[in-house]
Amino acid sequence: MTKKDGFDLEKKRKHKKFGCLFICALIFLFGCQERRKEPGVENSMRQNPVQESAEYDNSMQENPGVKVTFFDVGKGDAILIETREYTLLIDAGYDKTYGVIRDYLAKQEIEKLDYLVITHFDKDHVGGADRVVSEFEVGEILQPDYASDGGQYQEYRAVLEEKKLQPVLVTESMQFSLDGADFYIYPPQKKTYEEEDNDFSLTVSMAYGERSFLFAGDCEEERLDELLLQTEFDLSHDVLKVPHHGKKEDNSREFLERVAPEAAVITCSSEEPASKKLCNMLDELGTQVYLTSDGTVTCLCDGKNLEMSVAP
């Protein structure tokens, strides 16, 4: 072998070694980038993560199956669930924010609510209920079995009496289905709580196809313990209406870990924001967080995919 041949062979070896190193570097680089896309272990396991509306095709907009609207009513709850043929309203916000609900229903030409669920009787949940019942046909009203001396509750009761409507007092778990959406209402398990209103919150679970939603009212520590200990339904859900406007409880972390939501909606206001510690917990879980303080939040679901959007 000549000197030139030896040089050429050595040169080829160096090129081969450099090529291997270069390929290994590329594999490492893209592997790190791929891992950085995944905010948490839970999201890395999901085959159909939540989509933002700007990235999704038009088919979901045209035929969502189920549409859930979390209205921007300040630090209060008003959540409308629409299937192809039915409507269900969970809470009615404040008396002063009723117009948000009324205007939406009018725009969508909705004249009847098949179900009205009042989770509990605080003014930010029952405040607009009297006007909803006065101005719209309501099929069945579900509420917890306790009384309140609050002014907004009394106005709501007066309208029910005026229209001769008898609400269903939910004392035992109940189930029903609307266009393939399966609902499970889980009532408070005690007659008295340290927190006199919030822990009486009815909890609503909805499953549609492969997806599930949990609406946790204003549940505080005692009520969250009940949810953690119950065995009637699986606490894991894809979308969570965070309890009590994002207030942190001592058992919030355990509750959030058990629910393990892909998306969480916090009904709050700029003046009364959610707990930063609780938001950090959701971030650690890889959960996408939506705040009604940024505008009305809408979720479309076809039974397999979810699309979230916010309208200021």
Side-chain angles (χ1 to χ4, degrees), residues 146-165:
Y146 82 105
S148 170
D149 57 4
Q152 297 299 317
Y153 170 74
Q154 297 302 327
E155 291 180 12
Y156 159 70
R157 288 295 307 169
V159 172
L160 292 181
E161 292 176 10
E162 177 185 332
K163 297 187 72 94
K164 295 180 171 54
L165 294 173

Side-chain angles (χ1 to χ4, degrees), residues 183-196:
F183 292 85
Y184 193 95
I185 314 295
Y186 182 67
Q189 302 297 295
K190 299 179 181 180
K191 293 295 184 181
T192 60
Y193 291 91
E194 184 177 341
E195 209 301 316
E196 296 180 351

Side-chain angles (χ1 to χ4, degrees), residues 32-64:
C32 289
Q33 287 180 340
E34 186 65 27
R35 283 192 293 271
R36 280 197 292 268
K37 291 179 183 178
E38 302 173 353
V41 175
E42 291 292 332
N43 279 1
S44 69
M45 300 291 287
R46 292 175 175 130
Q47 296 180 352
N48 300 293
V50 176
Q51 301 287 330
E52 298 290 346
S53 59
E55 301 174 359
Y56 213 79
D57 58 56
N58 291 329
S59 62
M60 181 76 89
Q61 296 282 346
E62 296 169 358
N63 189 26

